[in-house]
Amino acid sequence: MTEQTRPLDVVILAAGQGTRMKSSLPKVLHPVAGRPMVAWAVKTARDLGARNVVVVTGHGAEQVEAALGEADVIFARQAQQLGTGHAFIQGLDALSDHQADVLVLYGDTPLLRADTLTALLSDHRARGGAFTVLTGEVPDATGYGRIIRDAQGNVERIVEQKDATPQERDVREFNSGVYLMDARARELSARITNDNASGEYYLTDLLGLYRAEGAEVHAFKLTDPSEVMGANDRTGLAEAEGIIRARLTQEHMRAGVTIHLPETVYIEDTVQLGRDVTLEPGVILRGQTRVAEGATIGAYSVITDSTLHEGVTVKPHSVLEGAEVGAGSDVGPFARLRPGTVLAGGVHIGNFVETKNARLAQGVKAGHLAYLGDVEIGEETNVGAGTIVANFDGVNKHRSTVGAGVFIGSNSTLIAPRVVGDAAFIAAGSAVHEDVPEGAMAVARGKQRTLEGWSKRYWGGLRGKVQEKLPWLAGWLDRQG
Ligand code: UD1
Ligand code: CA
């Protein structure tokens, strides 16, 4: 096999506790930009084309394994946290063959880019490296293992904070904990001991063990050391999220999306945006959301798992979840499209309209204040202000069907299950409790009574109060004689 085609296995260390989160959730399951930290590591491994991905679990193992259950990874349990070297060996033990290069990642460094690791891989391979450690340089590397180089500048060993001499602690080059190594890893890692200040098995010792074999050992220095910044507490999580958020908005802008006040916009990396999409301030896009070319999302709208076709306009403060919006439709402001909403093209949904399990055909208009649940509405139908589809009888939900070209007068209630035929006309204020056939007109409301002269008698009886509180009406009463 040539260097380039050698397979890559990735071992992700994720058994540690992370007490600083102060949480009942295992540290590596805390989400950053919509994805648990450990899932970022798995995604990065996949982006690198890894053959096997092993996740070493320990603290909260069941939860971590359940969260990654569908990610096609191999789990290795580390029953006791005896150190990174021990964790690594558990990971290797879970692999059925050991012919691959092995990359070690941590489950709590979501900022590490696949591009950086690709550069590490090509540097390692170009140099014919046996073991390469990813390092960074910072003014003060307190807490990290330090990279100790010999007089020629070659990497000699890694010394942990606890074991370091004062001079060694002055070293600014630190160990990120990411290593790439050849297939000797299995044999050499078995020689790691716990003879150090912590009494732990240090994975860092592996570097020295490769050196002792006369193997090619190198360091690859990060351009941006913050990429390996682990999120240890909630502040770290928020910082990491801010960085990932900024990266994603920048990528979208470079790809042709206009984002006003990008620092206020939150887009998960599962979201796809077409060219000439415009995002106004405060927009939140989550999950499997797809927005096609030329759509505009108004300020403070939150869109989750939804598909928006070409040229859709979502006006401010709208909330969409599990909805599909057809080309050229407009939604909002203050609209709520719930799961199962499918709008065809050119549909108009105005303010304070809620839809759920609703299919609205081409050109349907529901401009104001409506609830459309469990209903199918035919093309060109006009849904008047205040229309309610009463889909729930207290126990069960029922479906209704409204035909094409129907006019539903304002403030009508369709008591489900109901069928309204094409071109029917429903008078305003109707409580429709019987089906309406095609072309029919239905009025279902109390008959109007009009009592002439009633106001004069009523207010006249209250004249004292009217004079005190309603001067215009008092004048009107006076004029009535
Ligand atoms: C480790 C490195 C240190 C490096 C630093 C970078 C060692 C001995 N030291 O230190 O040189 O600068 O990372 O962040 O490796 N883990 C397990 N099982 C264990 C212990 C740890 O799975 O028994 C996992 C943790 O969940 C974590 C990772 O390994 O993801 C690193 O563990 P941590 O305790 O943070 O290592 P450090 O002491 O910080
Ligand atoms: Ca650490």
Side-chain angles (χ1 to χ4, degrees):
M1 248 184 232
T2 68
E3 301 271 41
Q4 271 62 34
T5 57
R6 208 158 50 206
L8 178 73
D9 289 339
V10 176
V11 175
I12 299 171
L13 306 186
Q17 187 163 23
T19 48
R20 279 178 285 168
M21 285 294 174
K22 302 212 166 58
S23 176
S24 54
L25 192 67
K27 176 183 180 179
V28 296
L29 289 188
H30 279 265
V32 168
R35 175 180 285 146
M37 287 199 277
V38 65
W40 280 102
V42 172
K43 178 180 191 293
T44 305
R46 295 268 173 254
D47 290 348
L48 291 172
R51 180 183 68 167
N52 294 302
V53 179
V54 181
V55 179
V56 182
T57 61
H59 278 282
E62 292 83 5
Q63 269 173 284
V64 175
E65 290 169 14
L68 290 176
E70 286 166 16
D72 189 26
V73 297
I74 301 166
F75 296 109
R77 284 278 179 103
Q78 188 194 21
Q80 271 184 294
Q81 280 64 64
L82 302 179
T84 49
H86 180 257
F88 179 61
I89 292 169
Q90 311 312 302
L92 290 183
D93 282 350
L95 289 166
S96 49
D97 86 74
H98 299 89
Q99 310 306 313
D101 282 343
V102 181
L103 174 73
V104 177
L105 301 176
Y106 288 174
D108 62 356
T109 54
L111 297 177
L112 186 53
R113 291 167 177 271
D115 284 355
T116 302
L117 293 170
T118 304
L120 168 80
L121 268 155
S122 38
D123 181 74
H124 176 87
R125 287 176 179 167
R127 299 207 217 190
F131 186 101
T132 302
V133 52
L134 182 68
T135 70
E137 196 165 321
V138 288
D140 177 5
T142 301
Y144 286 104
R146 308 299 205 285
I147 303 299
I148 308 301
R149 293 175 181 261
D150 64 17
Q152 288 74 49
N154 298 314
V155 182
E156 200 170 63
R157 64 200 160 85
I158 301 170
V159 61
E160 289 306 291
Q161 173 84 21
K162 275 192 186 168
D163 303 290
T165 63
Q167 295 93 306
E168 287 170 338
R169 288 183 186 184
D170 287 341
V171 171
R172 297 163 166 208
E173 191 180 7
F174 70 93
N175 168 30
S176 70
V178 171
Y179 320 94
L180 178 62
M181 59 195 90
D182 66 18
R184 271 172 286 183
R186 185 172 177 81
E187 178 203 332
L188 295 177
S189 59
R191 299 186 201 162
I192 296 173
T193 68
N194 62 354
D195 182 14
N196 53 56
S198 312
E200 285 182 11
Y201 294 86
Y202 287 170
L203 181 50
T204 48
D205 288 355
L206 200 50
L207 186 149
L209 291 164
Y210 267 92
R211 279 264 313 197
E213 293 288 294
E216 286 283 328
V217 173
H218 300 286
F220 181 80
K221 211 186 269 186
L222 285 158
T223 326
D224 173 10
S226 72
E227 276 191 50
V228 291
M229 189 184 83
N232 294 315
D233 57 17
R234 313 273 179 149
T235 323
L237 277 180
E239 269 177 55
E241 191 154 86
I243 291 169
I244 289 185
R245 199 194 50 67
R247 279 184 195 166
L248 287 169
T249 47
Q250 277 159 23
E251 272 172 33
H252 287 299
M253 290 188 283
R254 276 195 287 269
V257 174
T258 294
I259 305 183
H260 298 289
L261 295 185
E263 61 277 19
T264 67
V265 168
Y266 177 93
I267 309 168
E268 289 179 359
D269 77 328
T270 42
V271 169
Q272 290 177 15
L273 304 177
R275 292 165 71 127
D276 293 317
V277 164
T278 298
L279 306 180
E280 292 180 359
V283 165
I284 297 177
L285 303 177
R286 298 184 193 278
Q288 303 304 315
T289 292
R290 311 263 173 276
V291 183
E293 268 190 58
T296 297
I297 316 293
Y300 307 106
S301 291
V302 181
I303 302 182
T304 307
D305 297 333
S306 295
T307 302
L308 278 57
H309 294 281
E310 284 74 16
V312 162
T313 301
V314 175
K315 292 179 185 160
H317 298 281
S318 295
V319 179
L320 281 65
E321 184 182 355
E324 181 173 349
V325 181
S329 290
D330 71 290
V331 171
F334 300 101
R336 180 166 184 219
L337 307 189
R338 293 170 52 201
T341 294
V342 180
L343 309 184
V347 168
H348 166 65
I349 296 287
N351 42 208
F352 306 107
V353 172
E354 175 180 347
T355 63
K356 187 214 67 173
N357 276 332
R359 301 182 75 89
L360 275 54
Q362 182 81 27
V364 168
K365 290 184 169 57
H368 337 259
L369 300 157
Y371 173 63
L372 306 175
D374 299 312
V375 66
E376 188 143 341
I377 301 180
E379 64 190 273
E380 226 177 83
T381 285
N382 183 83
V383 178
T387 295
I388 304 289
V389 178
N391 60 329
F392 186 51
D393 62 12
V395 190
N396 297 305
K397 300 274 170 64
H398 303 279
R399 276 202 78 79
S400 296
T401 309
V402 177
V406 172
F407 180 90
I408 305 177
S410 293
N411 209 33
S412 292
T413 304
L414 303 187
I415 301 166
R418 206 74 299 131
V419 177
V420 176
D422 291 342
F425 189 105
I426 293 170
S430 291
V432 180
H433 55 283
E434 286 170 7
D435 289 350
V436 182
E438 179 175 348
M441 200 289 248
V443 197
R445 63 186 182 216
K447 201 167 156 52
Q448 181 167 338
R449 281 201 304 155
T450 307
L451 306 181
E452 291 288 345
W454 183 91
S455 296
K456 182 182 164 192
R457 293 193 295 280
Y458 178 74
W459 294 119
L462 297 166
R463 192 176 283 269
K465 280 277 186 216
V466 170
Q467 262 158 0
E468 194 184 316
K469 297 194 166 172
L470 301 166
W472 183 90
L473 194 60
W476 178 84
L477 268 181
D478 290 343
R479 290 196 294 280
Q480 305 308 304

